[in-house]
Amino acid sequence: MNQNNYTWVTEFLLLGLSDDPQTRLLLIILFLGVYLGTVLGSLLLIYLVITESQLHTPMYFFLCNLSLADLWASSSIVPQALVHMLTRKKVISFMGCAAQIFLSIISGATQCSVLAVMSYDRYLAICNPMHYSLIMTGRICGHLALACWFSGIVISSVDTIFTVCLPYQGDNRIDHFFCDAPVLLTLASGDTHKAEIAIFSMGVVILLAPVSLILVSYGSIIVTIIRMKTSSGRLKAFSTCGSHLLVVILFYGTLIISYMIPTSSREQIKGVAVFYGVINPMLNPIIYSLRNKDVTRALRNTINRIKS
């Protein structure tokens, strides 16, 4: 049929995760509980890093940025998903969909960069401790954090522009619970080849470069730890980077499963998206709080200060 017979899409219909009332109720409870946990956990971690002098180190400065990116990621997806679960009207405007794509990609791309910088910070602390304080100065840390957020904005701008500038006519049903660039491309009525190449290229840049730095950093860390003569030194070195390594595995594991491993059904894609977009941001503050003595000590100091 001639494309001119179709009307231009001004809004999209998000099909969501389920039409079953009982399942939707369970999802509302899950999403709301996880989102509240993400907000409270991230804000608490940011507050502790700002107020507790013992956490005024480069590692916790970058952790603060990671928590902010987690909060950003969750807030760009979960509130809109909750509204659509609670109402019959599950539409989102074209510009609203574009804004959601832009905001969600910023947070994801920024997290990739922050995790890479954090691995480099652990590399310097363990493999080159004598020069650590000279290299990781407050000014350098600030520049690195700005570079992480700037890279997220650049990657997101390219992906969003190439996605929303395509013609959308006819079908406006998005088989997802939020606007995601790869899913939206399937609805475009024009040639998506250039957009796919641009998005793939940005994905390679923001994934390959950070992963390479993380692998090199942890490769050097492992070699250094093995060469340590005392078991107490090895245990201390492992404990300082264990939480970060766990967060890296969870974050990149879900991204690889979602975008690089072929899945047999749309339901599997949405299930993985729930983990990396909703649950994963809540896990990071928990992992760093439970596995880090400095954070738990700072939390106890804050609680005692409030009680007194």
Side-chain angles (χ1 to χ4, degrees):
M1 293 180 65
N2 193 329
Q3 287 186 358
N4 292 327
N5 292 334
Y6 292 105
T7 58
W8 288 95
V9 171
T10 59
E11 62 183 18
F12 293 101
L13 174 65
L14 290 165
L15 300 183
L17 293 168
S18 177
D19 290 327
D20 180 65
Q22 292 184 343
T23 303
R24 193 161 60 244
L25 178 60
L26 291 175
L27 288 171
I28 291 171
I29 296 172
L30 173 65
F31 274 46
L32 182 59
V34 170
Y35 182 64
L36 291 177
T38 301
V39 172
L40 293 175
S42 298
L43 291 179
L44 177 60
L45 203 51
I46 293 171
Y47 173 79
L48 291 176
V49 172
I50 293 174
T51 58
E52 294 293 329
S53 58
Q54 67 195 64
L55 300 183
H56 291 173
T57 63
M59 181 178 74
Y60 294 109
F61 171 73
F62 294 124
L63 177 58
C64 187
N65 280 270
L66 182 64
S67 297
L68 183 59
D70 285 331
L71 184 59
W72 187 312
S74 185
S75 297
S76 65
I77 295 175
V78 180
Q80 167 264 316
L82 282 171
V83 170
H84 284 185
M85 290 180 198
L86 291 168
T87 60
R88 291 184 177 180
K89 190 177 181 181
K90 299 180 179 181
V91 298
I92 183 171
S93 67
F94 187 92
M95 292 308 298
C97 191
Q100 187 173 55
I101 292 174
F102 179 69
L103 294 174
S104 61
I105 294 178
I106 285 179
S107 59
T110 300
Q111 287 180 74
C112 290
S113 300
V114 171
L115 288 172
V117 171
M118 291 177 73
S119 70
Y120 178 67
D121 173 76
R122 291 301 84 207
Y123 159 76
L124 290 176
I126 295 173
C127 302
N128 197 6
M130 299 297 293
H131 298 90
Y132 177 75
S133 59
L134 297 176
I135 298 175
M136 298 301 287
T137 62
R139 182 179 180 183
I140 294 298
C141 290
H143 287 168
L144 288 173
L146 286 175
C148 290
W149 285 97
F150 180 74
S151 67
I153 293 173
V154 171
I155 296 293
S156 182
S157 298
V158 173
D159 286 1
T160 305
I161 289 172
F162 272 92
T163 301
V164 301
C165 286
L166 291 170
Y168 291 92
Q169 295 173 289
D171 190 9
N172 69 336
R173 294 170 299 174
I174 300 177
D175 192 9
H176 215 326
F177 65 97
F178 69 97
C179 289
D180 195 18
V183 179
L184 201 63
L185 288 180
T186 62
L187 299 180
S189 53
D191 183 14
T192 62
H193 183 65
K194 292 182 179 179
E196 290 172 354
I197 292 177
I199 293 175
F200 178 78
S201 300
M202 291 297 100
V204 169
V205 170
I206 200 58
L207 286 176
L208 185 60
V211 167
S212 299
L213 180 57
I214 290 171
L215 292 176
V216 171
S217 298
Y218 273 100
S220 301
I221 289 172
I222 291 172
V223 171
T224 301
I225 291 175
I226 293 175
R227 291 177 178 175
M228 290 182 178
K229 297 180 179 180
T230 62
S231 58
S232 60
R234 295 193 192 99
L235 183 61
K236 183 178 179 180
F238 272 121
S239 65
T240 59
C241 57
S243 298
H244 175 256
L245 188 57
L246 180 58
V247 169
V248 167
I249 293 172
L250 288 174
F251 180 75
Y252 280 102
T254 51
L255 284 183
I256 290 172
I257 292 173
S258 179
Y259 292 104
M260 300 186 70
I261 297 179
T263 53
S264 58
S265 69
R266 177 62 60 184
E267 296 304 317
Q268 288 177 303
I269 296 176
K270 290 191 282 188
V272 175
V274 169
F275 186 85
Y276 78 75
V278 181
I279 297 176
N280 200 44
M282 181 194 67
L283 294 179
N284 292 347
I286 295 176
I287 291 171
Y288 278 103
S289 299
L290 294 179
R291 294 179 54 87
N292 194 295
K293 294 181 180 179
D294 292 334
V295 175
T296 54
R297 190 181 303 114
L299 180 59
R300 284 197 299 269
N301 292 339
T302 300
I303 293 174
N304 292 333
R305 190 164 57 246
I306 293 174
K307 288 181 179 180
S308 60

PDB file of all heavy atoms in Angstrom, residues 219-246:
ATOM      1  N   GLY A 219      42.571  -7.053  35.109  1.00  0.00           N
ATOM      2  CA  GLY A 219      43.654  -7.972  34.796  1.00  0.00           C
ATOM      3  C   GLY A 219      44.909  -7.605  35.572  1.00  0.00           C
ATOM      4  O   GLY A 219      45.573  -8.473  36.171  1.00  0.00           O
ATOM      5  N   SER A 220      45.224  -6.309  35.590  1.00  0.00           N
ATOM      6  CA  SER A 220      46.387  -5.832  36.340  1.00  0.00           C
ATOM      7  C   SER A 220      46.177  -5.997  37.845  1.00  0.00           C
ATOM      8  O   SER A 220      47.117  -6.341  38.580  1.00  0.00           O
ATOM      9  CB  SER A 220      46.654  -4.361  36.011  1.00  0.00           C
ATOM     10  OG  SER A 220      46.883  -4.175  34.629  1.00  0.00           O
ATOM     11  N   ILE A 221      44.953  -5.769  38.306  1.00  0.00           N
ATOM     12  CA  ILE A 221      44.654  -5.924  39.737  1.00  0.00           C
ATOM     13  C   ILE A 221      44.849  -7.376  40.175  1.00  0.00           C
ATOM     14  O   ILE A 221      45.450  -7.647  41.219  1.00  0.00           O
ATOM     15  CB  ILE A 221      43.211  -5.454  40.028  1.00  0.00           C
ATOM     16  CG1 ILE A 221      43.111  -3.931  39.901  1.00  0.00           C
ATOM     17  CG2 ILE A 221      42.770  -5.897  41.420  1.00  0.00           C
ATOM     18  CD1 ILE A 221      41.692  -3.397  39.987  1.00  0.00           C
ATOM     19  N   ILE A 222      44.349  -8.303  39.374  1.00  0.00           N
ATOM     20  CA  ILE A 222      44.473  -9.728  39.717  1.00  0.00           C
ATOM     21  C   ILE A 222      45.943 -10.148  39.778  1.00  0.00           C
ATOM     22  O   ILE A 222      46.372 -10.860  40.696  1.00  0.00           O
ATOM     23  CB  ILE A 222      43.697 -10.589  38.706  1.00  0.00           C
ATOM     24  CG1 ILE A 222      42.193 -10.360  38.871  1.00  0.00           C
ATOM     25  CG2 ILE A 222      44.023 -12.079  38.897  1.00  0.00           C
ATOM     26  CD1 ILE A 222      41.350 -11.016  37.802  1.00  0.00           C
ATOM     27  N   VAL A 223      46.725  -9.695  38.793  1.00  0.00           N
ATOM     28  CA  VAL A 223      48.161 -10.018  38.788  1.00  0.00           C
ATOM     29  C   VAL A 223      48.840  -9.455  40.028  1.00  0.00           C
ATOM     30  O   VAL A 223      49.647 -10.141  40.677  1.00  0.00           O
ATOM     31  CB  VAL A 223      48.831  -9.467  37.511  1.00  0.00           C
ATOM     32  CG1 VAL A 223      50.348  -9.606  37.598  1.00  0.00           C
ATOM     33  CG2 VAL A 223      48.308 -10.187  36.278  1.00  0.00           C
ATOM     34  N   THR A 224      48.500  -8.223  40.391  1.00  0.00           N
ATOM     35  CA  THR A 224      49.093  -7.595  41.575  1.00  0.00           C
ATOM     36  C   THR A 224      48.703  -8.332  42.854  1.00  0.00           C
ATOM     37  O   THR A 224      49.534  -8.552  43.743  1.00  0.00           O
ATOM     38  CB  THR A 224      48.654  -6.120  41.674  1.00  0.00           C
ATOM     39  OG1 THR A 224      49.061  -5.423  40.491  1.00  0.00           O
ATOM     40  CG2 THR A 224      49.278  -5.445  42.895  1.00  0.00           C
ATOM     41  N   ILE A 225      47.444  -8.723  42.945  1.00  0.00           N
ATOM     42  CA  ILE A 225      46.969  -9.435  44.136  1.00  0.00           C
ATOM     43  C   ILE A 225      47.668 -10.795  44.275  1.00  0.00           C
ATOM     44  O   ILE A 225      48.051 -11.207  45.376  1.00  0.00           O
ATOM     45  CB  ILE A 225      45.437  -9.608  44.081  1.00  0.00           C
ATOM     46  CG1 ILE A 225      44.745  -8.247  44.243  1.00  0.00           C
ATOM     47  CG2 ILE A 225      44.956 -10.564  45.172  1.00  0.00           C
ATOM     48  CD1 ILE A 225      43.240  -8.293  44.091  1.00  0.00           C
ATOM     49  N   ILE A 226      47.824 -11.497  43.154  1.00  0.00           N
ATOM     50  CA  ILE A 226      48.492 -12.800  43.189  1.00  0.00           C
ATOM     51  C   ILE A 226      49.934 -12.677  43.687  1.00  0.00           C
ATOM     52  O   ILE A 226      50.447 -13.549  44.394  1.00  0.00           O
ATOM     53  CB  ILE A 226      48.445 -13.462  41.792  1.00  0.00           C
ATOM     54  CG1 ILE A 226      47.001 -13.832  41.439  1.00  0.00           C
ATOM     55  CG2 ILE A 226      49.343 -14.700  41.742  1.00  0.00           C
ATOM     56  CD1 ILE A 226      46.828 -14.370  40.036  1.00  0.00           C
ATOM     57  N   ARG A 227      50.574 -11.573  43.334  1.00  0.00           N
ATOM     58  CA  ARG A 227      51.974 -11.371  43.718  1.00  0.00           C
ATOM     59  C   ARG A 227      52.143 -10.926  45.162  1.00  0.00           C
ATOM     60  O   ARG A 227      53.271 -10.890  45.668  1.00  0.00           O
ATOM     61  CB  ARG A 227      52.614 -10.334  42.795  1.00  0.00           C
ATOM     62  CG  ARG A 227      52.804 -10.826  41.353  1.00  0.00           C
ATOM     63  CD  ARG A 227      53.370  -9.721  40.485  1.00  0.00           C
ATOM     64  NE  ARG A 227      53.598 -10.193  39.115  1.00  0.00           N
ATOM     65  CZ  ARG A 227      53.989  -9.413  38.114  1.00  0.00           C
ATOM     66  NH1 ARG A 227      54.194  -8.104  38.339  1.00  0.00           N
ATOM     67  NH2 ARG A 227      54.169  -9.911  36.910  1.00  0.00           N
ATOM     68  N   MET A 228      51.036 -10.576  45.816  1.00  0.00           N
ATOM     69  CA  MET A 228      51.128 -10.164  47.220  1.00  0.00           C
ATOM     70  C   MET A 228      51.565 -11.336  48.083  1.00  0.00           C
ATOM     71  O   MET A 228      51.142 -12.475  47.887  1.00  0.00           O
ATOM     72  CB  MET A 228      49.778  -9.614  47.706  1.00  0.00           C
ATOM     73  CG  MET A 228      49.404  -8.283  47.105  1.00  0.00           C
ATOM     74  SD  MET A 228      47.812  -7.663  47.756  1.00  0.00           S
ATOM     75  CE  MET A 228      47.711  -6.093  46.905  1.00  0.00           C
ATOM     76  N   LYS A 229      52.405 -11.049  49.067  1.00  0.00           N
ATOM     77  CA  LYS A 229      52.999 -12.105  49.885  1.00  0.00           C
ATOM     78  C   LYS A 229      52.084 -12.535  51.026  1.00  0.00           C
ATOM     79  O   LYS A 229      52.143 -13.683  51.469  1.00  0.00           O
ATOM     80  CB  LYS A 229      54.347 -11.641  50.432  1.00  0.00           C
ATOM     81  CG  LYS A 229      55.377 -11.365  49.336  1.00  0.00           C
ATOM     82  CD  LYS A 229      56.699 -10.904  49.927  1.00  0.00           C
ATOM     83  CE  LYS A 229      57.728 -10.650  48.826  1.00  0.00           C
ATOM     84  NZ  LYS A 229      59.027 -10.193  49.391  1.00  0.00           N
ATOM     85  N   THR A 230      51.260 -11.640  51.527  1.00  0.00           N
ATOM     86  CA  THR A 230      50.424 -11.962  52.680  1.00  0.00           C
ATOM     87  C   THR A 230      48.981 -12.178  52.260  1.00  0.00           C
ATOM     88  O   THR A 230      48.473 -11.500  51.368  1.00  0.00           O
ATOM     89  CB  THR A 230      50.478 -10.828  53.721  1.00  0.00           C
ATOM     90  OG1 THR A 230      49.971  -9.623  53.144  1.00  0.00           O
ATOM     91  CG2 THR A 230      51.919 -10.593  54.189  1.00  0.00           C
ATOM     92  N   SER A 231      48.325 -13.137  52.915  1.00  0.00           N
ATOM     93  CA  SER A 231      46.922 -13.416  52.622  1.00  0.00           C
ATOM     94  C   SER A 231      46.022 -12.276  53.072  1.00  0.00           C
ATOM     95  O   SER A 231      44.983 -12.010  52.460  1.00  0.00           O
ATOM     96  CB  SER A 231      46.490 -14.714  53.307  1.00  0.00           C
ATOM     97  OG  SER A 231      46.687 -14.623  54.708  1.00  0.00           O
ATOM     98  N   SER A 232      46.416 -11.580  54.154  1.00  0.00           N
ATOM     99  CA  SER A 232      45.621 -10.441  54.629  1.00  0.00           C
ATOM    100  C   SER A 232      45.625  -9.319  53.601  1.00  0.00           C
ATOM    101  O   SER A 232      44.621  -8.631  53.409  1.00  0.00           O
ATOM    102  CB  SER A 232      46.169  -9.939  55.963  1.00  0.00           C
ATOM    103  OG  SER A 232      47.514  -9.524  55.827  1.00  0.00           O
ATOM    104  N   GLY A 233      46.776  -9.127  52.940  1.00  0.00           N
ATOM    105  CA  GLY A 233      46.855  -8.106  51.895  1.00  0.00           C
ATOM    106  C   GLY A 233      45.978  -8.457  50.715  1.00  0.00           C
ATOM    107  O   GLY A 233      45.312  -7.588  50.141  1.00  0.00           O
ATOM    108  N   ARG A 234      45.950  -9.746  50.344  1.00  0.00           N
ATOM    109  CA  ARG A 234      45.091 -10.181  49.235  1.00  0.00           C
ATOM    110  C   ARG A 234      43.618  -9.989  49.583  1.00  0.00           C
ATOM    111  O   ARG A 234      42.832  -9.520  48.749  1.00  0.00           O
ATOM    112  CB  ARG A 234      45.347 -11.660  48.923  1.00  0.00           C
ATOM    113  CG  ARG A 234      46.733 -11.959  48.403  1.00  0.00           C
ATOM    114  CD  ARG A 234      46.789 -13.362  47.837  1.00  0.00           C
ATOM    115  NE  ARG A 234      48.158 -13.773  47.589  1.00  0.00           N
ATOM    116  CZ  ARG A 234      48.871 -14.540  48.401  1.00  0.00           C
ATOM    117  NH1 ARG A 234      48.312 -15.004  49.516  1.00  0.00           N
ATOM    118  NH2 ARG A 234      50.102 -14.884  48.101  1.00  0.00           N
ATOM    119  N   LEU A 235      43.254 -10.346  50.812  1.00  0.00           N
ATOM    120  CA  LEU A 235      41.860 -10.217  51.241  1.00  0.00           C
ATOM    121  C   LEU A 235      41.420  -8.760  51.238  1.00  0.00           C
ATOM    122  O   LEU A 235      40.314  -8.427  50.800  1.00  0.00           O
ATOM    123  CB  LEU A 235      41.681 -10.816  52.632  1.00  0.00           C
ATOM    124  CG  LEU A 235      40.256 -10.814  53.194  1.00  0.00           C
ATOM    125  CD1 LEU A 235      39.334 -11.626  52.302  1.00  0.00           C
ATOM    126  CD2 LEU A 235      40.238 -11.358  54.615  1.00  0.00           C
ATOM    127  N   LYS A 236      42.276  -7.872  51.715  1.00  0.00           N
ATOM    128  CA  LYS A 236      41.952  -6.439  51.742  1.00  0.00           C
ATOM    129  C   LYS A 236      41.795  -5.890  50.326  1.00  0.00           C
ATOM    130  O   LYS A 236      40.885  -5.100  50.050  1.00  0.00           O
ATOM    131  CB  LYS A 236      43.035  -5.672  52.491  1.00  0.00           C
ATOM    132  CG  LYS A 236      42.741  -4.193  52.630  1.00  0.00           C
ATOM    133  CD  LYS A 236      43.830  -3.482  53.423  1.00  0.00           C
ATOM    134  CE  LYS A 236      43.530  -1.994  53.543  1.00  0.00           C
ATOM    135  NZ  LYS A 236      44.599  -1.288  54.310  1.00  0.00           N
ATOM    136  N   ALA A 237      42.693  -6.330  49.431  1.00  0.00           N
ATOM    137  CA  ALA A 237      42.624  -5.849  48.048  1.00  0.00           C
ATOM    138  C   ALA A 237      41.345  -6.330  47.370  1.00  0.00           C
ATOM    139  O   ALA A 237      40.682  -5.571  46.663  1.00  0.00           O
ATOM    140  CB  ALA A 237      43.843  -6.331  47.277  1.00  0.00           C
ATOM    141  N   PHE A 238      40.989  -7.599  47.596  1.00  0.00           N
ATOM    142  CA  PHE A 238      39.757  -8.129  47.015  1.00  0.00           C
ATOM    143  C   PHE A 238      38.528  -7.414  47.565  1.00  0.00           C
ATOM    144  O   PHE A 238      37.568  -7.153  46.841  1.00  0.00           O
ATOM    145  CB  PHE A 238      39.649  -9.628  47.288  1.00  0.00           C
ATOM    146  CG  PHE A 238      40.303 -10.482  46.246  1.00  0.00           C
ATOM    147  CD1 PHE A 238      41.326 -11.359  46.587  1.00  0.00           C
ATOM    148  CD2 PHE A 238      39.908 -10.413  44.918  1.00  0.00           C
ATOM    149  CE1 PHE A 238      41.932 -12.151  45.618  1.00  0.00           C
ATOM    150  CE2 PHE A 238      40.509 -11.210  43.942  1.00  0.00           C
ATOM    151  CZ  PHE A 238      41.525 -12.073  44.298  1.00  0.00           C
ATOM    152  N   SER A 239      38.540  -7.111  48.857  1.00  0.00           N
ATOM    153  CA  SER A 239      37.375  -6.478  49.481  1.00  0.00           C
ATOM    154  C   SER A 239      37.150  -5.068  48.962  1.00  0.00           C
ATOM    155  O   SER A 239      36.008  -4.601  48.907  1.00  0.00           O
ATOM    156  CB  SER A 239      37.547  -6.449  51.001  1.00  0.00           C
ATOM    157  OG  SER A 239      38.641  -5.630  51.370  1.00  0.00           O
ATOM    158  N   THR A 240      38.223  -4.381  48.569  1.00  0.00           N
ATOM    159  CA  THR A 240      38.081  -3.001  48.092  1.00  0.00           C
ATOM    160  C   THR A 240      37.468  -2.921  46.701  1.00  0.00           C
ATOM    161  O   THR A 240      36.928  -1.882  46.314  1.00  0.00           O
ATOM    162  CB  THR A 240      39.453  -2.286  48.062  1.00  0.00           C
ATOM    163  OG1 THR A 240      40.343  -3.018  47.205  1.00  0.00           O
ATOM    164  CG2 THR A 240      40.042  -2.181  49.449  1.00  0.00           C
ATOM    165  N   CYS A 241      37.560  -4.015  45.933  1.00  0.00           N
ATOM    166  CA  CYS A 241      37.004  -3.972  44.565  1.00  0.00           C
ATOM    167  C   CYS A 241      35.922  -5.022  44.337  1.00  0.00           C
ATOM    168  O   CYS A 241      35.365  -5.100  43.236  1.00  0.00           O
ATOM    169  CB  CYS A 241      38.115  -4.141  43.526  1.00  0.00           C
ATOM    170  SG  CYS A 241      39.078  -5.646  43.690  1.00  0.00           S
ATOM    171  N   GLY A 242      35.589  -5.812  45.367  1.00  0.00           N
ATOM    172  CA  GLY A 242      34.582  -6.856  45.211  1.00  0.00           C
ATOM    173  C   GLY A 242      33.212  -6.309  44.870  1.00  0.00           C
ATOM    174  O   GLY A 242      32.520  -6.835  43.984  1.00  0.00           O
ATOM    175  N   SER A 243      32.783  -5.255  45.564  1.00  0.00           N
ATOM    176  CA  SER A 243      31.459  -4.672  45.313  1.00  0.00           C
ATOM    177  C   SER A 243      31.365  -4.116  43.905  1.00  0.00           C
ATOM    178  O   SER A 243      30.365  -4.302  43.199  1.00  0.00           O
ATOM    179  CB  SER A 243      31.170  -3.566  46.337  1.00  0.00           C
ATOM    180  OG  SER A 243      31.154  -4.085  47.637  1.00  0.00           O
ATOM    181  N   HIS A 244      32.424  -3.411  43.499  1.00  0.00           N
ATOM    182  CA  HIS A 244      32.423  -2.821  42.161  1.00  0.00           C
ATOM    183  C   HIS A 244      32.379  -3.894  41.085  1.00  0.00           C
ATOM    184  O   HIS A 244      31.647  -3.777  40.093  1.00  0.00           O
ATOM    185  CB  HIS A 244      33.671  -1.958  41.971  1.00  0.00           C
ATOM    186  CG  HIS A 244      33.811  -1.398  40.586  1.00  0.00           C
ATOM    187  ND1 HIS A 244      34.704  -1.916  39.678  1.00  0.00           N
ATOM    188  CD2 HIS A 244      33.146  -0.404  39.945  1.00  0.00           C
ATOM    189  CE1 HIS A 244      34.604  -1.240  38.536  1.00  0.00           C
ATOM    190  NE2 HIS A 244      33.663  -0.329  38.678  1.00  0.00           N
ATOM    191  N   LEU A 245      33.129  -4.971  41.263  1.00  0.00           N
ATOM    192  CA  LEU A 245      33.152  -6.049  40.287  1.00  0.00           C
ATOM    193  C   LEU A 245      31.781  -6.716  40.180  1.00  0.00           C
ATOM    194  O   LEU A 245      31.328  -7.058  39.081  1.00  0.00           O
ATOM    195  CB  LEU A 245      34.211  -7.078  40.676  1.00  0.00           C
ATOM    196  CG  LEU A 245      34.494  -8.182  39.654  1.00  0.00           C
ATOM    197  CD1 LEU A 245      34.912  -7.586  38.323  1.00  0.00           C
ATOM    198  CD2 LEU A 245      35.571  -9.125  40.175  1.00  0.00           C
ATOM    199  N   LEU A 246      31.088  -6.880  41.301  1.00  0.00           N
ATOM    200  CA  LEU A 246      29.750  -7.469  41.298  1.00  0.00           C
ATOM    201  C   LEU A 246      28.764  -6.581  40.541  1.00  0.00           C
ATOM    202  O   LEU A 246      27.943  -7.064  39.752  1.00  0.00           O
ATOM    203  CB  LEU A 246      29.267  -7.693  42.729  1.00  0.00           C
ATOM    204  CG  LEU A 246      27.875  -8.315  42.904  1.00  0.00           C
ATOM    205  CD1 LEU A 246      27.801  -9.665  42.202  1.00  0.00           C
ATOM    206  CD2 LEU A 246      27.546  -8.461  44.391  1.00  0.00           C
TER     207      LEU A 246
END
